[in-house]
């Protein structure tokens, strides 16, 4: 969390940082404040990559608003769990991504898995990438994690940057990925070289 705060200090404007400080305090006092402030984050603090050297097109890259939303959700403490479902349901893609990125920083056990599962069902590569962070590595069942990695290869999400690659994939998951790759090769389609890191397990 300190690392995110420090990165924001370097990247956000003074006005954005002041808004974030005030909003964090308001959320800490009343988590329902998230309902009105959460959609405003990108406009108030910015949407560029958190690291200025990162490629904005990289689906794994954290943005300024991802980090700010994580700090706001964490500020809600125990009250955050009651807000997550509605924030996610009514949020746009950036808001949903911010929630998924924040999950490892929230004290909710495995009770946020439904959000990860929902994101994996989409074809939004940024949501899928955000969903498969440290939270999914820790809490997603083996079979579901294996299927998610296969989905990444299918929709074009690079798997090397995923938190649990390659150790989290089971032998059965590696076999499924190998079968998928053979089908692609037989059809004359390209296969990303990174898949062999998992298959070789």
């Amino acid at each position: 969390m300190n690392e995110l705060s420090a990165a924001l200090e370097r990247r956000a404007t003074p006005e954005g940082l002041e808004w974030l400080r005030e909003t964090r305090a308001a959320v800490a006092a009343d988590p329902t404040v998230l309902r009105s402030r959460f959609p405003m984050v990108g406009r108030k603090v910015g949407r560029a990559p958190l690291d200025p050297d990162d490629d904005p097109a990289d689906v794994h890259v954290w943005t300024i608003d991802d980090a700010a939303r994580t700090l706001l959700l964490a500020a809600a403490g125990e009250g955050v769990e009651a807000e997550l479902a509605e924030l996610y349901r009514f949020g746009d893609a950036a808001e949903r991504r911010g929630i998924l990125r924040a999950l490892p920083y929230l004290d909710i056990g495995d009770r946020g898995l439904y959000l990860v599962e929902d994101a994996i069902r989409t074809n939004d590569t940024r949501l899928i990438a955000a969903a498969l962070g440290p939270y999914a590595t820790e809490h997603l069942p083996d079979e579901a994690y294996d299927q998610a990695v296969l989905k990444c290869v299918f929709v074009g999400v690079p798997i090397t940057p995923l938190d649990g690659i390659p150790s989290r994939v089971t032998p059965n998951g590696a076999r499924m990925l190998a079968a998928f790759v053979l089908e692609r090769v037989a059809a004359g389609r390209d296969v990303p070289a990174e898949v062999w890191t998992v298959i070789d397990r």
Side-chain angles (χ1 to χ4, degrees), residues 165-181:
I165 295 297
S167 59
R168 184 64 167 78
V169 178
T170 69
N172 187 54
R175 283 191 290 271
M176 286 194 305
L177 188 57
F180 176 71
V181 165

Side-chain angles (χ1 to χ4, degrees), residues 3-195:
E3 186 177 337
L4 290 180
S5 296
L8 278 170
E9 289 287 339
R10 293 189 297 269
R11 292 287 283 149
T13 65
E15 296 79 12
L17 291 171
E18 181 60 26
W19 180 86
L20 184 58
R21 280 191 286 270
E22 292 175 356
T23 303
R24 287 177 73 183
V27 167
D30 178 9
T32 64
V33 169
L34 284 166
R35 301 172 192 178
S36 60
R37 302 289 183 89
F38 205 68
M40 301 166 62
V41 173
R43 188 170 72 254
K44 292 291 187 179
V45 302
R47 301 180 176 90
L50 190 59
D51 183 334
D53 294 328
D54 282 338
D55 179 1
D58 185 344
V59 297
H60 293 286
V61 162
W62 275 67
T63 59
I64 295 172
D65 52 324
D66 286 337
R69 287 191 168 99
T70 296
L71 295 182
L72 287 185
L73 291 170
E78 294 181 357
V80 72
E81 190 171 351
E83 303 299 320
L84 286 178
E86 294 301 292
L87 288 175
Y88 188 88
R89 178 184 176 192
F90 293 110
D92 63 17
E95 292 164 50
R96 291 183 175 192
R97 189 184 68 237
I99 292 170
L100 294 165
R101 299 262 198 228
L103 290 176
Y105 298 90
L106 308 179
D107 187 18
I108 57 172
D110 64 358
R111 297 184 299 281
L113 268 180
Y114 69 100
L115 300 173
V116 172
E117 292 163 351
D118 182 85
I120 292 169
R121 284 193 294 269
T122 74
N123 286 321
D124 186 322
T125 55
R126 288 187 177 273
L127 287 187
I128 295 169
L132 292 175
Y135 185 85
T137 302
E138 181 178 358
H139 296 291
L140 207 59
D142 287 347
E143 183 178 356
Y145 191 90
D146 290 342
Q147 291 285 352
V149 172
L150 188 61
K151 173 74 173 279
C152 284
V153 176
F154 184 76
V155 300
V157 173
I159 62 173
T160 300
L162 294 179
D163 179 73
I165 295 297
S167 59
R168 184 64 167 78
V169 178
T170 69
N172 187 54
R175 283 191 290 271
M176 286 194 305
L177 188 57
F180 176 71
V181 165
L182 288 174
E183 289 178 9
R184 300 264 297 212
V185 171
R189 302 182 64 184
D190 291 336
V191 175
E194 61 180 355
V195 300

